[in-house]
């Protein structure tokens, strides 16, 4: 349980709010590259951290992320003309480049230098693995972008999607560090009654790391074996969750890197960057987004009660919510808490150990920012930027194993 003040501190992400300031110290996803696929294509609206923005791709293919409302008198640049390396407002023709320079003010007298005194809101962008990242903090505090393994994968080895969530980002990411829910919410085979007995109440650990935190869960897996999962939390609100148990690390597995990005206090984009060594086929790409509408809303959502099937709930699935992606069941659990969960009313138990650790980490980070300091795990040197070995690990081991040690031999780890 949190105090009202702590809950506010962690969930309010507007500019000038402490968590809003913290989020603005890191590179975060702003949109998918596919939303603005070609030079001079139509701009799109982007709402991010409570700010209304417009993204466009200029004639040279460079991405701009500008304040939505024209510096002149506020007309939306969403309706603008994307032409000749700039976005031009349709009201009086003011034209902006990707850096927010006012290039032209054609309704002003010839020779006017008015435009040189102005600068429009513009955030720097970096396009990696089909996602356009941005940095929305003070320019002098801009950090390096970490180098994850997916930064070096070929376009056909990555497939990002995003999903709209009608609740605060923290509810979403807390689900990634709540290992025990997987045995219930994601149990799609009620016939396997042994499963709950075996792994409904895992042993949990949390360790602070160079990038944020790592949550560990350890379950029984038969008489003499344990099943270990690790889930990294990467500042400010990213995670990697493991897939189903396998005996060994397998490069053919699809792995998902997850970014929980606040649209505003009450809504969130979940970006899932699917990645794999083997290229994704077009059919696989289709199935990875089959749970989403073209506008990235989920087919199963609050408005249709997640298409819950009560008969199915009696006979085969814990939730009765069919799933093409576990995020559909997660969405029901987290959205139904309310737009901003009232954490003063919770009753946390042992199974919430890693969530408590996550909140502590975030509260400490927010307080550093409030005191004028640099938040943790902001990347400043190219050496620190190497996140390429960061993985979520899962594996079945003999009971009593030193899992830290054994896992190192099973595949790349994040030590
Ligand atoms: S309001 Fe945009 S040019 Fe006048
Ligand atoms: Fe889940």
């Amino acid at each position: 349980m949190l105090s009202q003040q702590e809950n506010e501190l962690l969930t309010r992400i507007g500019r000038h709010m402490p968590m809003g300031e913290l989020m603005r110290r890191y590179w975060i996803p702003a949109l998918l590259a596919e939303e603005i696929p070609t030079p001079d294509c139509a701009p799109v609206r982007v709402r991010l951290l409570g700010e209304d923005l417009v993204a466009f791709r200029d004639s040279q293919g460079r991405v701009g992320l500008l304040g939505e409302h024209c510096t002149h008198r506020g007309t939306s640049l969403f309706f603008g003309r994307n032409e000749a390396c700039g976005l031009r407002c349709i009201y009086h023709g003011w034209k902006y480049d990707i850096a927010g320079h006012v290039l032209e003010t054609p309704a002003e007298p010839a020779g006017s230098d008015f435009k040189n005194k102005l600068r429009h809101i513009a955030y720097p962008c970096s396009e990696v693995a089909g996602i356009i990242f941005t940095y929305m903090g003070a320019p002098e505090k801009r950090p390096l972008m970490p180098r994850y393994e997916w930064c070096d994968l070929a376009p056909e080895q990555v497939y990002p999607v995003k999903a709209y969530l009608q609740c605060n980002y923290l509810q979403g990411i807390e689900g990634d560090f709540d290992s025990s829910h997987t045995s219930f919410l994601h149990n799609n085979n009620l016939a396997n009654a042994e499963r709950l007995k075996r792994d409904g109440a895992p042993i949990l650990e949390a360790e602070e790391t160079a990038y944020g935190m790592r949550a560990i869960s350890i379950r029984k897996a038969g008489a003499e074996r344990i099943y270990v999962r690790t889930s990294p939390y990467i500042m400010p609100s990213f995670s990697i969750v493991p897939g189903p148990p396998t005996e060994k690390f397998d490069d053919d597995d699809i792995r998902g890197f997850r970014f929980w990005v606040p649209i505003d206090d009450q809504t969130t984009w979940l970006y899932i960057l699917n990645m794999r060594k083997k290229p994704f086929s077009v059919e696989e790409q289709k199935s990875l987004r089959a749970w989403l509408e073209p506008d990235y809303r989920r087919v199963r959502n609050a408005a249709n009660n997640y298409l819950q099937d009560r008969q199915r709930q009696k006979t085969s699935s814990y939730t009765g919510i069919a799933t093409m992606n576990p995020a559909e069941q997660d969405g029901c659990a987290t959205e139904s808490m309310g737009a901003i969960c009232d954490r003063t009313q919770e009753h946390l138990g042992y199974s919430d150990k890693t969530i408590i650790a996550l909140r502590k980490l975030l509260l400490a980070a927010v307080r550093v920012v409030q005191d004028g300091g640099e938040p943790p795990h902001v990347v400043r040197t190219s050496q620190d930027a190497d996140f390429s070995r960061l993985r979520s690990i899962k594996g079945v081991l003999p009971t009593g194993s030193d899992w830290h040690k054994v896992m190192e031999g099973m595949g790349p780890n994040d030590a």
Side-chain angles (χ1 to χ4, degrees):
M1 158 178 156
L2 293 178
S3 69
Q4 183 61 32
Q5 191 235 4
E6 288 170 328
N7 203 29
E8 294 279 313
L9 264 184
L10 290 185
T11 55
R12 302 290 178 180
I13 52 68
R15 193 169 274 285
H16 309 307
M17 302 306 284
M19 181 50 82
E21 178 61 18
L22 178 71
M23 290 268 181
R24 284 168 173 79
R25 298 292 190 90
Y26 303 86
W27 287 88
I28 57 174
L31 68 161
L32 294 174
E34 68 180 26
E35 295 179 68
I36 43 172
T38 52
D40 291 337
C41 64
V44 294
R45 289 192 180 94
V46 173
R47 185 162 162 80
L48 194 57
L49 301 181
E51 297 186 32
D52 290 319
L53 308 168
V54 165
F56 73 107
R57 195 180 288 278
D58 77 5
S59 312
Q60 292 179 17
R62 299 172 304 180
V63 176
L65 187 60
L66 305 180
E68 178 176 355
H69 297 286
C70 181
T71 289
H72 180 214
R73 277 172 41 211
T75 293
S76 173
L77 295 175
F78 168 73
F79 300 102
R81 302 174 59 86
N82 187 6
E83 57 188 18
C85 275
L87 188 59
R88 193 186 284 283
C89 178
I90 55 166
Y91 204 0
H92 312 94
W94 286 28
K95 182 178 176 185
Y96 304 92
D97 70 6
I98 59 165
H101 296 111
V102 184
L103 300 176
E104 295 172 22
T105 52
E108 294 300 301
S112 163
D113 71 344
F114 183 37
K115 66 179 191 296
N116 300 329
K117 300 178 185 141
L118 304 167
R119 191 74 184 261
H120 190 68
I121 294 169
Y123 297 119
C125 293
S126 174
E127 191 170 340
V128 188
I131 299 176
I132 294 166
F133 290 81
T134 190
Y135 168 75
M136 294 172 67
E140 70 278 9
K141 292 189 171 126
R142 176 170 156 180
L144 296 177
M145 171 107 177
R147 298 288 307 168
Y148 296 98
E149 66 164 328
W150 37 264
C151 295
D152 298 317
L153 293 177
E156 58 276 13
Q157 293 174 303
V158 290
Y159 190 68
V161 297
K162 72 178 192 180
Y164 180 72
L165 201 69
Q166 287 177 285
C167 68
N168 182 260
Y169 82 97
L170 188 59
Q171 277 149 250
I173 195 150
E174 283 183 349
D176 286 352
F177 292 89
D178 171 11
S179 186
S180 61
H181 87 268
T182 58
S183 308
F184 304 90
L185 188 76
H186 302 312
N187 181 353
N188 299 312
N189 180 12
L190 289 180
N192 185 0
E194 280 306 301
R195 180 178 174 188
L196 280 187
K197 274 194 230 156
R198 190 180 69 226
D199 66 10
I203 296 168
L204 301 172
E205 305 287 347
E207 299 174 343
E208 194 157 346
T209 62
Y211 49 80
M213 194 187 98
R214 173 169 47 204
I216 303 133
S217 66
I218 304 165
R219 293 171 159 84
K220 289 195 198 98
E224 299 294 329
R225 301 201 303 166
I226 53 171
Y227 167 46
V228 183
R229 300 166 97 225
T230 70
S231 310
Y233 171 83
I234 303 132
M235 293 291 289
S237 55
F238 310 153
S239 73
I240 315 177
V241 293
T246 53
E247 292 288 333
K248 63 179 178 58
F249 178 85
D250 184 349
D251 275 353
D252 277 347
D253 279 358
I254 295 178
R255 287 177 288 128
F257 196 104
R258 294 151 73 93
F259 311 83
W260 299 89
V261 186
I263 298 169
D264 49 34
D265 288 345
Q266 305 203 347
T267 56
T268 301
W269 285 120
L270 164 61
Y271 287 80
I272 303 176
L273 177 52
N274 299 290
M275 65 186 121
R276 193 177 63 183
K277 286 262 162 78
K278 199 172 119 192
F280 289 107
S281 68
V282 173
E283 283 313 305
E284 285 174 320
Q285 291 178 349
K286 267 191 205 153
S287 85
L288 285 169
R289 67 186 308 157
W291 55 294
L292 299 166
E293 303 283 7
D295 65 356
Y296 308 109
R297 285 168 198 260
R298 303 186 324 274
V299 173
R300 294 177 179 80
N301 56 55
N304 57 29
N305 283 332
Y306 307 93
L307 303 178
Q308 186 183 36
D309 180 337
R310 294 291 189 181
Q311 186 55 29
R312 194 174 182 141
Q313 189 176 32
K314 277 193 196 307
T315 54
S316 62
S317 143
Y318 203 82
T319 57
I321 299 170
T323 181
M324 284 180 271
N325 189 299
E328 297 173 280
Q329 296 167 338
D330 289 323
C332 173
T334 53
E335 288 177 338
S336 62
M337 294 170 172
I340 300 179
C341 176
D342 181 358
R343 293 181 176 77
T344 66
Q345 299 300 310
E346 297 172 326
H347 298 83
L348 300 184
Y350 174 85
S351 67
D352 305 300
K353 189 175 173 184
T354 45
I355 289 176
I356 293 166
L358 172 65
R359 292 178 186 175
K360 268 194 191 146
L361 179 85
L362 281 175
L363 280 170
V366 163
R367 288 184 175 126
V368 167
V369 171
Q370 281 183 304
D371 292 342
E374 170 130 304
H377 316 307
V378 165
V379 175
R380 292 281 166 216
T381 68
S382 54
Q383 199 183 351
D384 289 346
D386 182 7
F387 283 32
S388 61
R389 295 198 311 143
L390 195 56
R391 300 283 192 284
S392 168
I393 299 172
K394 58 190 160 70
V396 178
L397 307 171
T399 304
S401 304
D402 176 349
W403 67 266
H404 270 107
K405 235 183 172 151
V406 180
M407 294 298 246
E408 276 174 34
M410 296 181 76
N413 78 4
D414 61 349

